[in-house]
């Protein structure tokens, strides 16, 4: 029983580390685009509300 | 003696400066209360993931998850697995979050009002705030304890107070100015810095301690229980069940968490934020858990004068070289700042939107609304400063957090599920669930303190007491709802539509 749990934690730990390393780079790149898009949209909205 | 030096201080200084500039720079986009609290509901997927991951990982998280690793071995990371399952299930099915996001509300109590009326909205707001403040109250102290241990600063004098006050002022400044927009932008930066620090520190811990040494240490101290939570003497089935309920309730009802769904561009994005962040929640327990196991292997079970919470930072302070120490401290500051800012904004939104709603005069302008929100965030900052720095914590941190959270989570989860999926649910059931949700855990805490009942409370334990709270609130909802005559139910339904 111990060996099943030990393997579970080994796989979980390695999987977490690998996933986290890859996800950090990917999310950092895509997140920056999201921020630019969000701020551009809010800028447009505030300009159009000022014109009204 | 730790390896903290001038290079580390410079890294931290640059990080703090960049965060402040970015946080304050977006204030010009804040033109309405909606933008201040939920970023105009413009949050896209990857920004949502970064923000949720950064918010849900603070120094306090790192401390209690490392403590779990130190005290229970690998088995102490089981709440992380439960968190991941809960996030994935809720995101995949849209359970509760779909109807909530579709309702276009800003807070959970606002959603409850649609089914249970204004009184339940107000009462829910009060319960969320009381539980949330008790819970978050210890965050600042934990952050300070970590930084003192890891940098080797003296705990005598006022170094901790001064450092944490400066940190809180910085967080309050950008949160007050930019609201959710500042929180999102700084969360994003903090996610990147925090992740880099966590990955580097973990690599150093495993390299210096050795994986096989870590496994042997856990085996030597805890045997099979160090791997299997069900047979661990301090955990067991009740711990797993109780944590399963707490984490599910947290995913569904914690205001800082659901605020990410409510701020999402649409329902689909909100659900994806949950499913794709789910794996992160395993990392959230496993990575600091490894640091805790490393501390156990290097320092033994009586490290830090028997204070299990401080073993991990003390250990990191000795193994990380100069330079990496700065990255780790910057990462931990990033984690703490993102959590503090998001929580202050989330609880501020409940105070403004739900608790103060009956007392606010009608016709309030957007500008006045933003001013109100800013003042509430400032007041919360002051509360955290005084409560957080002076409250002495007793017992394991994770247990304190789950017990204080149960007061709110048990009733709020019952109300939410009933609100979404049970047509017979009404305000009588909701009120009964809220009252029972507070009575059971508070009674347990009182029984623990009284000499006559302390033995009985110990025999029950915090886990079964917590499970009983969840069952009691669900029963209270059913009984209370059926007690209300159907004729009165139809009348109140008619008047609310």
């Amino acid at each position: 029983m111990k060996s099943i749990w030990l393997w579970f934690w080994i796989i979980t730990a390695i999987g977490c580390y690998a996933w986290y390393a890859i996800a950090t780079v990917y999310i950092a790149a895509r997140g920056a685009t999201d921020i630019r898009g969000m701020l551009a949209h809010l800028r447009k909205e505030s300009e159009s509300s000022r014109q009204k | 003696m730790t390896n903290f030096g001038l290079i580390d201080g410079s890294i931290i200084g640059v990080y703090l400066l960049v965060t402040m500039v970015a946080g304050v720079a977006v204030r010009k986009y804040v033109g309405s209360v909606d933008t201040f609290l939920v970023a105009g509901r413009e949050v896209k997927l990857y920004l949502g993931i970064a923000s949720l991951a950064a918010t849900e990982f603070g120094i306090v998280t790192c401390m209690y998850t490392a403590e779990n690793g130190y005290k229970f071995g690998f088995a102490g990371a089981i709440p992380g697995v439960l968190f991941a399952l809960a996030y994935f299930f809720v995101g995949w099915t849209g359970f509760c979050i779909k109807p909530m996001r579709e309702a276009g509300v800003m807070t959970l109590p606002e959603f409850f009002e649609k089914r249970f009326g204004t009184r339940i909205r107000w009462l829910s707001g009060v319960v969320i705030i009381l539980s949330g403040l008790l819970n978050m109250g210890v965050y600042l102290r934990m952050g300070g304890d970590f930084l003192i241990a890891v940098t080797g600063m003296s705990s005598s004098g006022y170094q901790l107070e001064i450092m944490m006050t400066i940190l809180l002022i910085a967080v309050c400044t950008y949160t007050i100015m930019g609201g959710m927009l500042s929180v999102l932008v700084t969360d994003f930066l903090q996610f990147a810095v925090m992740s880099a620090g966590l990955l580097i520190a973990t690599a150093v811990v495993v390299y210096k301690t050795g994986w096989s040494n870590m496994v042997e240490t856990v085996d030597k101290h805890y045997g099979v229980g160090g791997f299997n939570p069900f047979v661990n003497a301090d955990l067991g089935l009740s711990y797993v069940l109780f944590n399963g309920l707490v984490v599910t309730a947290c995913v569904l009802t914690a205001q800082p968490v659901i605020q990410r769904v409510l701020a999402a561009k649409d329902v689909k994005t909100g659900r994806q934020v949950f499913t794709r962040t789910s794996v992160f929640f395993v990392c959230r327990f496993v990575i600091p858990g490894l640091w805790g196991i490393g501390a156990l292997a290097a320092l033994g079970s009586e490290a830090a004068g028997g204070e299990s919470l401080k073993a991990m930072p003390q250990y990191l302070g000795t193994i990380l070289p100069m330079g990496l120490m700065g990255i780790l401290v910057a990462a931990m500051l990033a984690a703490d700042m993102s959590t503090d800012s998001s929580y202050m904004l989330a609880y501020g939104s409940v105070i403004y939107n739900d608790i103060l709603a009956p007392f606010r005069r009608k016709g309030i302008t957007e500008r006045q609304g933003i001013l109100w929100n800013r003042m509430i965030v400032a007041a919360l900052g002051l509360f955290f400063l005084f409560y957080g720095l002076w409250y002495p914590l007793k017992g394991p941190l994770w247990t304190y957090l789950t017990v204080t959270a149960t007061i709110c989570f048990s009733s709020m989860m019952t109300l939410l599920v009933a609100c979404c999926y049970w047509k017979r649910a009404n305000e009588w059931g909701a009120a009964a669930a809220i009252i029972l949700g507070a009575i059971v855990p508070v009674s347990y805490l009182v029984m623990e303190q009284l000499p006559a009942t302390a033995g009985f409370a110990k025999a029950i334990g915090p886990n079964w007491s917590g499970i009983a709270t969840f069952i009691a609130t669900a029963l209270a909802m059913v009984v209370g709802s059926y007690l209300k005559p159907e004729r009165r139910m139809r009348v109140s339904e008619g008047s609310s539509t």
Side-chain angles (χ1 to χ4, degrees), chain A residues 2 9 17 28 34 41 43, chain B residues 29 42 46 188 199 219 227:
Chain A
K2 192 185 102 182
W9 290 118
Y17 195 85
D34 284 359
H41 193 271
R43 192 182 302 124
Chain B
Y29 300 103
E42 283 295 327
Y46 293 96
F188 173 72
L199 289 165
D219 197 22
F227 304 92

Side-chain angles (χ1 to χ4, degrees), chain B residues 58 62 66 90 146 152 198 220 239 298 343 376 420 458:
Chain B
C62 191
V90 172
F146 175 89
L198 289 178
K220 190 180 109 190
Y239 181 88
Y343 277 57
I376 292 166
C420 293
K458 200 178 173 188

Side-chain angles (χ1 to χ4, degrees), chain B residues 278-339:
Chain B
S278 59
V279 182
F280 169 79
F281 286 87
V282 190
C283 308
R284 182 178 179 252
F285 271 80
V286 168
I287 287 180
L290 291 175
W291 301 358
I293 294 169
L296 182 67
L299 308 175
S301 57
E302 290 302 315
E307 284 189 74
S308 53
L309 207 53
K310 292 180 182 169
M312 176 274 290
Q314 195 182 66
Y315 164 65
L316 289 185
T318 55
I319 64 155
L320 291 177
M322 203 183 284
L324 284 188
M325 184 67 84
I327 294 173
L328 175 80
V329 175
M332 289 298 111
L333 287 178
D336 216 37
M337 290 168 85
S338 57
T339 305

Side-chain angles (χ1 to χ4, degrees), chain B residues 43-46 48-49 90-94 97-99 101-102 260-276:
Chain B
V43 179
K44 291 182 183 167
L45 181 60
Y46 293 96
I49 292 172
V90 172
W92 186 48
T93 58
I97 60 166
K98 185 172 177 279
R101 176 64 186 82
E102 282 172 346
R260 266 71 200 156
V261 174
L262 301 176
K265 200 162 82 33
D266 48 36
V267 177
K268 190 184 165 200
T269 307
R271 289 171 62 177
Q272 283 179 330
V273 167
F274 271 30
T275 49
R276 298 197 189 179

Side-chain angles (χ1 to χ4, degrees), chain B residues 91-165:
Chain B
W92 186 48
T93 58
F95 181 63
C96 294
I97 60 166
K98 185 172 177 279
M100 203 172 9
R101 176 64 186 82
E102 282 172 346
V105 295
M106 280 198 276
T107 59
L108 193 61
E110 190 184 346
F111 183 60
F112 291 157
E113 187 186 17
K114 293 177 186 295
R115 169 63 79 88
F116 303 124
T118 50
R119 284 183 193 154
I120 295 297
R121 175 181 180 177
W122 191 84
L123 196 58
S124 308
V126 171
V127 171
I128 288 171
I129 291 303
L130 284 179
S131 167
L133 295 188
L134 274 178
N135 208 266
M136 195 189 161
V138 296
Y139 288 13
L140 205 61
R141 159 69 61 183
M142 290 303 117
D145 281 345
F146 175 89
L147 293 173
I148 280 197
V150 90
T151 56
M153 279 194 305
S154 164
S155 56
S156 58
Y158 292 101
Q159 285 184 352
L160 168 74
E161 283 77 8
I162 292 167
M163 195 166 64
M164 298 320 286
T165 304

Side-chain angles (χ1 to χ4, degrees), chain B residues 145-413:
Chain B
D145 281 345
F146 175 89
L147 293 173
I148 280 197
V150 90
T151 56
M153 279 194 305
S154 164
S155 56
S156 58
Y158 292 101
Q159 285 184 352
L160 168 74
E161 283 77 8
I162 292 167
M163 195 166 64
M164 298 320 286
T165 304
I166 291 170
L167 190 70
L168 197 66
I169 288 171
V171 172
C172 279
T173 303
Y174 69 69
T175 312
I176 287 169
M177 287 182 148
M180 187 64 159
L181 286 180
S182 293
V183 168
L184 286 168
V185 172
T186 53
D187 271 1
F188 173 72
L189 289 173
Q190 286 151 359
F191 171 78
V193 174
M194 176 186 95
S195 303
L198 289 178
L199 289 165
I200 292 169
T202 306
V204 174
V205 165
V206 175
Y207 174 73
K208 293 222 172 179
T209 314
W211 177 260
S212 46
N213 184 21
M214 290 165 84
V215 172
E216 279 163 22
T217 301
V218 171
D219 197 22
K220 190 180 109 190
H221 283 85
Y222 308 116
V224 186
F227 304 92
N228 181 350
F230 294 99
V231 298
N232 186 303
D234 295 315
L235 305 177
L237 178 67
S238 65
Y239 181 88
V240 178
L241 283 178
F242 177 47
N243 275 274
L245 287 168
V246 169
V247 302
T248 308
C250 175
V251 170
L252 289 173
T253 65
Q255 182 64 25
V257 173
I258 58 167
Q259 206 164 20
R260 266 71 200 156
V261 174
L262 301 176
K265 200 162 82 33
D266 48 36
V267 177
K268 190 184 165 200
T269 307
R271 289 171 62 177
Q272 283 179 330
V273 167
F274 271 30
T275 49
R276 298 197 189 179
T277 319
S278 59
V279 182
F280 169 79
F281 286 87
V282 190
C283 308
R284 182 178 179 252
F285 271 80
V286 168
I287 287 180
L290 291 175
W291 301 358
I293 294 169
L296 182 67
L299 308 175
S301 57
E302 290 302 315
E307 284 189 74
S308 53
L309 207 53
K310 292 180 182 169
M312 176 274 290
Q314 195 182 66
Y315 164 65
L316 289 185
T318 55
I319 64 155
L320 291 177
M322 203 183 284
L324 284 188
M325 184 67 84
I327 294 173
L328 175 80
V329 175
M332 289 298 111
L333 287 178
D336 216 37
M337 290 168 85
S338 57
T339 305
D340 290 349
S341 61
S342 291
Y343 277 57
M344 280 196 293
L345 189 73
Y347 293 130
S349 69
V350 173
I351 293 174
Y352 173 79
N353 201 44
D354 307 306
I355 296 179
L356 293 181
F359 310 108
R360 275 201 321 260
R361 62 183 170 81
K362 285 175 185 168
I364 192 167
T365 63
E366 289 292 333
R367 192 181 280 262
Q368 288 167 328
I370 294 168
L371 182 65
W372 264 105
N373 276 288
R374 285 177 166 154
M375 288 194 301
I376 292 166
V377 172
L380 284 174
L382 277 177
F383 169 81
F384 291 130
L385 185 65
F386 290 106
Y387 181 84
L389 287 182
W390 306 114
Y391 177 79
L393 181 73
K394 289 173 187 164
L397 181 57
W398 177 241
T399 305
Y400 169 84
L401 293 175
T402 49
V403 169
T404 52
T406 307
I407 296 170
C408 159
F409 283 170
S410 57
S411 55
M412 292 303 109
M413 184 164 85

Side-chain angles (χ1 to χ4, degrees), chain B residues 116 411 414-416 418-419 422 424-426 428-433 472-482:
Chain B
F116 303 124
S411 55
T414 303
L415 261 70
L416 180 63
C419 183
W422 192 39
R424 188 71 169 79
N426 56 47
W428 284 27
T473 52
L475 286 174
M477 169 59 84
V478 174
V479 173
S481 295
Y482 275 116

